mmCIF file of all heavy atoms in Angstrom:
data_model
loop_
_atom_site.group_PDB
_atom_site.id
_atom_site.type_symbol
_atom_site.label_atom_id
_atom_site.label_comp_id
_atom_site.label_asym_id
_atom_site.label_seq_id
_atom_site.Cartn_x
_atom_site.Cartn_y
_atom_site.Cartn_z
ATOM 1 N N GLN A 76 -259.810 -19.969 122.538
ATOM 2 C CA GLN A 76 -259.250 -20.889 121.559
ATOM 3 C C GLN A 76 -259.247 -20.200 120.202
ATOM 4 O O GLN A 76 -260.264 -19.665 119.781
ATOM 5 C CB GLN A 76 -260.074 -22.177 121.507
ATOM 6 C CG GLN A 76 -260.119 -22.909 122.834
ATOM 7 C CD GLN A 76 -260.974 -24.159 122.795
ATOM 8 O OE1 GLN A 76 -261.574 -24.492 121.774
ATOM 9 N NE2 GLN A 76 -261.046 -24.854 123.911
ATOM 10 N N ILE A 77 -258.105 -20.216 119.547
ATOM 11 C CA ILE A 77 -257.973 -19.645 118.207
ATOM 12 C C ILE A 77 -257.648 -20.785 117.256
ATOM 13 O O ILE A 77 -256.653 -21.489 117.430
ATOM 14 C CB ILE A 77 -256.858 -18.578 118.155
ATOM 15 C CG1 ILE A 77 -257.110 -17.500 119.202
ATOM 16 C CG2 ILE A 77 -256.779 -17.966 116.753
ATOM 17 C CD1 ILE A 77 -255.959 -16.493 119.320
ATOM 18 N N ALA A 78 -258.499 -20.969 116.274
ATOM 19 C CA ALA A 78 -258.296 -22.042 115.305
ATOM 20 C C ALA A 78 -257.389 -21.568 114.178
ATOM 21 O O ALA A 78 -257.432 -20.395 113.775
ATOM 22 C CB ALA A 78 -259.641 -22.487 114.751
ATOM 23 N N ALA A 79 -256.559 -22.490 113.677
ATOM 24 C CA ALA A 79 -255.708 -22.207 112.515
ATOM 25 C C ALA A 79 -254.979 -20.879 112.687
ATOM 26 O O ALA A 79 -255.160 -19.943 111.908
ATOM 27 C CB ALA A 79 -256.546 -22.208 111.248
ATOM 28 N N THR A 80 -254.169 -20.797 113.725
ATOM 29 C CA THR A 80 -253.503 -19.550 114.085
ATOM 30 C C THR A 80 -252.670 -19.004 112.929
ATOM 31 O O THR A 80 -251.963 -19.738 112.238
ATOM 32 C CB THR A 80 -252.613 -19.772 115.307
ATOM 33 O OG1 THR A 80 -253.356 -20.481 116.307
ATOM 34 C CG2 THR A 80 -252.170 -18.450 115.897
ATOM 35 N N GLN A 81 -252.776 -17.693 112.736
ATOM 36 C CA GLN A 81 -252.100 -17.006 111.646
ATOM 37 C C GLN A 81 -251.081 -16.009 112.194
ATOM 38 O O GLN A 81 -251.202 -15.569 113.345
ATOM 39 C CB GLN A 81 -253.137 -16.261 110.793
ATOM 40 C CG GLN A 81 -254.210 -17.154 110.227
ATOM 41 C CD GLN A 81 -255.360 -16.366 109.614
ATOM 42 O OE1 GLN A 81 -255.377 -15.129 109.651
ATOM 43 N NE2 GLN A 81 -256.321 -17.066 109.048
ATOM 44 N N PRO A 82 -250.097 -15.620 111.394
ATOM 45 C CA PRO A 82 -249.107 -14.635 111.866
ATOM 46 C C PRO A 82 -249.751 -13.357 112.399
ATOM 47 O O PRO A 82 -249.256 -12.762 113.352
ATOM 48 C CB PRO A 82 -248.263 -14.379 110.617
ATOM 49 C CG PRO A 82 -248.354 -15.648 109.837
ATOM 50 C CD PRO A 82 -249.766 -16.141 110.056
ATOM 51 N N GLY A 83 -250.839 -12.950 111.807
ATOM 52 C CA GLY A 83 -251.537 -11.747 112.259
ATOM 53 C C GLY A 83 -252.176 -11.885 113.628
ATOM 54 O O GLY A 83 -252.619 -10.895 114.204
ATOM 55 N N ASP A 84 -252.203 -13.085 114.158
ATOM 56 C CA ASP A 84 -252.741 -13.305 115.506
ATOM 57 C C ASP A 84 -251.707 -12.999 116.584
ATOM 58 O O ASP A 84 -252.041 -12.959 117.770
ATOM 59 C CB ASP A 84 -253.222 -14.747 115.668
ATOM 60 C CG ASP A 84 -254.394 -15.089 114.767
ATOM 61 O OD1 ASP A 84 -255.225 -14.181 114.501
ATOM 62 O OD2 ASP A 84 -254.484 -16.248 114.317
ATOM 63 N N SER A 85 -250.469 -12.799 116.198
ATOM 64 C CA SER A 85 -249.417 -12.489 117.163
ATOM 65 C C SER A 85 -249.731 -11.182 117.868
ATOM 66 O O SER A 85 -249.905 -10.137 117.229
ATOM 67 C CB SER A 85 -248.057 -12.379 116.463
ATOM 68 O OG SER A 85 -247.654 -13.632 115.942
ATOM 69 N N ALA A 86 -249.838 -11.243 119.183
ATOM 70 C CA ALA A 86 -250.219 -10.077 119.991
ATOM 71 C C ALA A 86 -250.247 -10.502 121.447
ATOM 72 O O ALA A 86 -249.990 -11.660 121.770
ATOM 73 C CB ALA A 86 -251.597 -9.561 119.569
ATOM 74 N N VAL A 87 -250.587 -9.554 122.327
ATOM 75 C CA VAL A 87 -250.870 -9.879 123.723
ATOM 76 C C VAL A 87 -252.377 -9.998 123.876
ATOM 77 O O VAL A 87 -253.126 -9.155 123.373
ATOM 78 C CB VAL A 87 -250.323 -8.803 124.667
ATOM 79 C CG1 VAL A 87 -250.690 -9.132 126.117
ATOM 80 C CG2 VAL A 87 -248.813 -8.683 124.524
ATOM 81 N N TYR A 88 -252.816 -11.036 124.549
ATOM 82 C CA TYR A 88 -254.235 -11.288 124.746
ATOM 83 C C TYR A 88 -254.579 -11.125 126.226
ATOM 84 O O TYR A 88 -253.895 -11.668 127.100
ATOM 85 C CB TYR A 88 -254.609 -12.686 124.263
ATOM 86 C CG TYR A 88 -254.557 -12.790 122.760
ATOM 87 C CD1 TYR A 88 -253.346 -12.957 122.096
ATOM 88 C CD2 TYR A 88 -255.717 -12.673 121.989
ATOM 89 C CE1 TYR A 88 -253.287 -13.021 120.708
ATOM 90 C CE2 TYR A 88 -255.668 -12.737 120.607
ATOM 91 C CZ TYR A 88 -254.453 -12.912 119.980
ATOM 92 O OH TYR A 88 -254.403 -12.960 118.605
ATOM 93 N N PHE A 89 -255.642 -10.364 126.487
ATOM 94 C CA PHE A 89 -256.110 -10.133 127.846
ATOM 95 C C PHE A 89 -257.551 -10.604 127.980
ATOM 96 O O PHE A 89 -258.376 -10.351 127.094
ATOM 97 C CB PHE A 89 -256.108 -8.645 128.188
ATOM 98 C CG PHE A 89 -254.756 -8.010 128.301
ATOM 99 C CD1 PHE A 89 -254.214 -7.304 127.240
ATOM 100 C CD2 PHE A 89 -254.032 -8.106 129.472
ATOM 101 C CE1 PHE A 89 -252.968 -6.712 127.342
ATOM 102 C CE2 PHE A 89 -252.779 -7.509 129.594
ATOM 103 C CZ PHE A 89 -252.251 -6.818 128.519
ATOM 104 N N CYS A 90 -257.846 -11.240 129.108
ATOM 105 C CA CYS A 90 -259.244 -11.427 129.457
ATOM 106 C C CYS A 90 -259.621 -10.286 130.394
ATOM 107 O O CYS A 90 -258.769 -9.722 131.087
ATOM 108 C CB CYS A 90 -259.492 -12.777 130.120
ATOM 109 S SG CYS A 90 -258.764 -12.949 131.760
ATOM 110 N N ALA A 91 -260.883 -9.935 130.398
ATOM 111 C CA ALA A 91 -261.371 -8.883 131.285
ATOM 112 C C ALA A 91 -262.707 -9.307 131.861
ATOM 113 O O ALA A 91 -263.550 -9.869 131.159
ATOM 114 C CB ALA A 91 -261.509 -7.565 130.533
ATOM 115 N N GLU A 92 -262.896 -9.035 133.157
ATOM 116 C CA GLU A 92 -264.190 -9.301 133.791
ATOM 117 C C GLU A 92 -264.879 -7.976 134.078
ATOM 118 O O GLU A 92 -264.229 -6.967 134.357
ATOM 119 C CB GLU A 92 -264.013 -10.130 135.069
ATOM 120 C CG GLU A 92 -263.095 -9.538 136.098
ATOM 121 C CD GLU A 92 -262.916 -10.440 137.314
ATOM 122 O OE1 GLU A 92 -263.939 -10.856 137.919
ATOM 123 O OE2 GLU A 92 -261.757 -10.724 137.671
ATOM 124 N N ASN A 93 -266.204 -8.033 133.995
ATOM 125 C CA ASN A 93 -266.987 -6.817 134.080
ATOM 126 C C ASN A 93 -267.632 -6.664 135.455
ATOM 127 O O ASN A 93 -268.122 -7.622 136.045
ATOM 128 C CB ASN A 93 -268.104 -6.867 133.041
ATOM 129 C CG ASN A 93 -269.041 -5.696 133.161
ATOM 130 O OD1 ASN A 93 -268.659 -4.566 132.896
ATOM 131 N ND2 ASN A 93 -270.270 -5.945 133.587
ATOM 132 N N MET A 94 -267.628 -5.446 135.924
ATOM 133 C CA MET A 94 -268.365 -5.121 137.142
ATOM 134 C C MET A 94 -269.202 -3.883 136.868
ATOM 135 O O MET A 94 -268.708 -2.900 136.324
ATOM 136 C CB MET A 94 -267.395 -4.853 138.292
ATOM 137 C CG MET A 94 -268.067 -4.547 139.610
ATOM 138 S SD MET A 94 -266.868 -4.271 140.925
ATOM 139 C CE MET A 94 -266.048 -5.851 140.960
ATOM 140 N N GLY A 95 -270.452 -3.921 137.235
ATOM 141 C CA GLY A 95 -271.321 -2.783 136.997
ATOM 142 C C GLY A 95 -270.979 -1.606 137.879
ATOM 143 O O GLY A 95 -270.499 -1.765 139.002
ATOM 144 N N LEU A 96 -271.182 -0.409 137.342
ATOM 145 C CA LEU A 96 -270.909 0.830 138.069
ATOM 146 C C LEU A 96 -272.183 1.646 138.233
ATOM 147 O O LEU A 96 -273.221 1.338 137.643
ATOM 148 C CB LEU A 96 -269.875 1.666 137.299
ATOM 149 C CG LEU A 96 -268.487 1.075 137.132
ATOM 150 C CD1 LEU A 96 -267.658 1.960 136.213
ATOM 151 C CD2 LEU A 96 -267.801 0.913 138.473
ATOM 152 N N THR A 97 -272.083 2.706 138.989
ATOM 153 C CA THR A 97 -273.175 3.643 139.175
ATOM 154 C C THR A 97 -273.668 4.156 137.834
ATOM 155 O O THR A 97 -272.871 4.502 136.973
ATOM 156 C CB THR A 97 -272.701 4.842 140.024
ATOM 157 O OG1 THR A 97 -272.155 4.349 141.235
ATOM 158 C CG2 THR A 97 -273.846 5.789 140.303
ATOM 159 N N GLY A 98 -274.950 4.206 137.655
ATOM 160 C CA GLY A 98 -275.512 4.767 136.434
ATOM 161 C C GLY A 98 -275.491 3.823 135.263
ATOM 162 O O GLY A 98 -275.791 4.219 134.130
ATOM 163 N N GLY A 99 -275.101 2.585 135.499
ATOM 164 C CA GLY A 99 -275.154 1.591 134.432
ATOM 165 C C GLY A 99 -273.868 1.379 133.674
ATOM 166 O O GLY A 99 -273.812 0.580 132.756
ATOM 167 N N GLY A 100 -272.810 2.099 134.024
ATOM 168 C CA GLY A 100 -271.542 1.888 133.347
ATOM 169 C C GLY A 100 -270.893 0.599 133.784
ATOM 170 O O GLY A 100 -271.422 -0.145 134.618
ATOM 171 N N ASN A 101 -269.733 0.311 133.198
ATOM 172 C CA ASN A 101 -269.060 -0.948 133.464
ATOM 173 C C ASN A 101 -267.577 -0.752 133.671
ATOM 174 O O ASN A 101 -266.916 -0.099 132.886
ATOM 175 C CB ASN A 101 -269.275 -1.900 132.291
ATOM 176 C CG ASN A 101 -270.739 -2.202 132.073
ATOM 177 O OD1 ASN A 101 -271.327 -3.012 132.775
ATOM 178 N ND2 ASN A 101 -271.343 -1.517 131.125
ATOM 179 N N LYS A 102 -267.038 -1.342 134.720
ATOM 180 C CA LYS A 102 -265.606 -1.310 134.979
ATOM 181 C C LYS A 102 -265.037 -2.659 134.567
ATOM 182 O O LYS A 102 -265.511 -3.705 135.011
ATOM 183 C CB LYS A 102 -265.365 -1.072 136.463
ATOM 184 C CG LYS A 102 -263.936 -1.283 136.913
ATOM 185 C CD LYS A 102 -263.848 -1.107 138.422
ATOM 186 C CE LYS A 102 -262.478 -1.485 138.943
ATOM 187 N NZ LYS A 102 -262.405 -1.338 140.421
ATOM 188 N N LEU A 103 -264.039 -2.619 133.708
ATOM 189 C CA LEU A 103 -263.371 -3.844 133.295
ATOM 190 C C LEU A 103 -262.109 -4.032 134.120
ATOM 191 O O LEU A 103 -261.309 -3.112 134.258
ATOM 192 C CB LEU A 103 -263.009 -3.787 131.813
ATOM 193 C CG LEU A 103 -264.184 -3.759 130.826
ATOM 194 C CD1 LEU A 103 -263.673 -3.648 129.396
ATOM 195 C CD2 LEU A 103 -265.062 -4.986 130.990
ATOM 196 N N THR A 104 -261.956 -5.228 134.663
ATOM 197 C CA THR A 104 -260.732 -5.591 135.370
ATOM 198 C C THR A 104 -260.005 -6.604 134.517
ATOM 199 O O THR A 104 -260.548 -7.685 134.233
ATOM 200 C CB THR A 104 -261.048 -6.181 136.753
ATOM 201 O OG1 THR A 104 -261.737 -5.200 137.535
ATOM 202 C CG2 THR A 104 -259.764 -6.566 137.472
ATOM 203 N N PHE A 105 -258.800 -6.250 134.110
ATOM 204 C CA PHE A 105 -258.055 -7.071 133.176
ATOM 205 C C PHE A 105 -257.167 -8.074 133.917
ATOM 206 O O PHE A 105 -256.575 -7.763 134.943
ATOM 207 C CB PHE A 105 -257.184 -6.192 132.278
ATOM 208 C CG PHE A 105 -257.962 -5.455 131.234
ATOM 209 C CD1 PHE A 105 -258.690 -4.322 131.550
ATOM 210 C CD2 PHE A 105 -257.969 -5.897 129.919
ATOM 211 C CE1 PHE A 105 -259.418 -3.642 130.582
ATOM 212 C CE2 PHE A 105 -258.685 -5.225 128.938
ATOM 213 C CZ PHE A 105 -259.413 -4.104 129.274
ATOM 214 N N GLY A 106 -257.070 -9.256 133.348
ATOM 215 C CA GLY A 106 -256.193 -10.277 133.885
ATOM 216 C C GLY A 106 -254.782 -10.124 133.350
ATOM 217 O O GLY A 106 -254.460 -9.180 132.627
ATOM 218 N N THR A 107 -253.951 -11.063 133.724
ATOM 219 C CA THR A 107 -252.581 -11.098 133.221
ATOM 220 C C THR A 107 -252.601 -11.397 131.733
ATOM 221 O O THR A 107 -253.269 -12.321 131.293
ATOM 222 C CB THR A 107 -251.793 -12.203 133.935
ATOM 223 O OG1 THR A 107 -251.853 -11.978 135.339
ATOM 224 C CG2 THR A 107 -250.352 -12.217 133.470
ATOM 225 N N GLY A 108 -251.914 -10.651 130.964
ATOM 226 C CA GLY A 108 -251.868 -10.866 129.529
ATOM 227 C C GLY A 108 -251.004 -12.064 129.165
ATOM 228 O O GLY A 108 -250.158 -12.507 129.935
ATOM 229 N N THR A 109 -251.274 -12.591 127.998
ATOM 230 C CA THR A 109 -250.467 -13.669 127.435
ATOM 231 C C THR A 109 -249.970 -13.238 126.069
ATOM 232 O O THR A 109 -250.767 -12.825 125.219
ATOM 233 C CB THR A 109 -251.277 -14.970 127.292
ATOM 234 O OG1 THR A 109 -251.664 -15.433 128.581
ATOM 235 C CG2 THR A 109 -250.452 -16.059 126.596
ATOM 236 N N GLN A 110 -248.656 -13.331 125.880
ATOM 237 C CA GLN A 110 -248.058 -13.004 124.588
ATOM 238 C C GLN A 110 -248.164 -14.220 123.678
ATOM 239 O O GLN A 110 -247.625 -15.287 124.002
ATOM 240 C CB GLN A 110 -246.592 -12.614 124.770
ATOM 241 C CG GLN A 110 -245.840 -12.378 123.479
ATOM 242 C CD GLN A 110 -246.089 -11.018 122.899
ATOM 243 O OE1 GLN A 110 -245.853 -10.001 123.553
ATOM 244 N NE2 GLN A 110 -246.545 -10.972 121.669
ATOM 245 N N LEU A 111 -248.868 -14.093 122.571
ATOM 246 C CA LEU A 111 -248.965 -15.171 121.589
ATOM 247 C C LEU A 111 -247.977 -14.890 120.464
ATOM 248 O O LEU A 111 -248.029 -13.821 119.842
ATOM 249 C CB LEU A 111 -250.379 -15.275 121.030
ATOM 250 C CG LEU A 111 -250.590 -16.313 119.925
ATOM 251 C CD1 LEU A 111 -250.357 -17.723 120.449
ATOM 252 C CD2 LEU A 111 -251.988 -16.197 119.319
ATOM 253 N N LYS A 112 -247.095 -15.854 120.225
ATOM 254 C CA LYS A 112 -246.138 -15.739 119.124
ATOM 255 C C LYS A 112 -246.414 -16.849 118.124
ATOM 256 O O LYS A 112 -246.438 -18.035 118.495
ATOM 257 C CB LYS A 112 -244.711 -15.840 119.653
ATOM 258 C CG LYS A 112 -244.301 -14.676 120.534
ATOM 259 C CD LYS A 112 -242.831 -14.749 120.926
ATOM 260 C CE LYS A 112 -242.428 -13.531 121.749
ATOM 261 N NZ LYS A 112 -241.003 -13.580 122.165
ATOM 262 N N VAL A 113 -246.605 -16.463 116.887
ATOM 263 C CA VAL A 113 -246.892 -17.430 115.839
ATOM 264 C C VAL A 113 -245.646 -17.619 114.998
ATOM 265 O O VAL A 113 -245.138 -16.658 114.406
ATOM 266 C CB VAL A 113 -248.076 -16.968 114.967
ATOM 267 C CG1 VAL A 113 -248.387 -18.011 113.893
ATOM 268 C CG2 VAL A 113 -249.298 -16.706 115.835
ATOM 269 N N GLU A 114 -245.178 -18.835 114.971
ATOM 270 C CA GLU A 114 -243.952 -19.148 114.233
ATOM 271 C C GLU A 114 -244.298 -19.718 112.867
ATOM 272 O O GLU A 114 -245.197 -20.547 112.742
ATOM 273 C CB GLU A 114 -243.117 -20.126 115.053
ATOM 274 C CG GLU A 114 -242.688 -19.544 116.402
ATOM 275 C CD GLU A 114 -242.047 -20.568 117.311
ATOM 276 O OE1 GLU A 114 -242.118 -21.775 117.011
ATOM 277 O OE2 GLU A 114 -241.476 -20.153 118.334
ATOM 278 N N LEU A 115 -243.554 -19.252 111.869
ATOM 279 C CA LEU A 115 -243.843 -19.684 110.486
ATOM 280 C C LEU A 115 -243.269 -21.075 110.204
ATOM 281 O O LEU A 115 -242.312 -21.495 110.830
ATOM 282 C CB LEU A 115 -243.267 -18.664 109.501
ATOM 283 C CG LEU A 115 -243.774 -17.231 109.676
ATOM 284 C CD1 LEU A 115 -243.089 -16.310 108.687
ATOM 285 C CD2 LEU A 115 -245.294 -17.191 109.495
#
Side-chain angles (χ1 to χ4, degrees):
Chain A
Q76 300 178 359
I77 305 173
T80 312
Q81 302 169 358
D84 295 327
S85 294
V87 177
Y88 289 80
F89 292 98
C90 68
E92 56 183 307
N93 174 68
M94 182 179 299
L96 296 173
T97 305
N101 299 281
K102 169 184 173 181
L103 294 178
T104 299
F105 286 78
T107 304
T109 296
Q110 175 81 57
L111 176 64
K112 293 186 177 179
V113 181
E114 298 171 348
L115 303 178

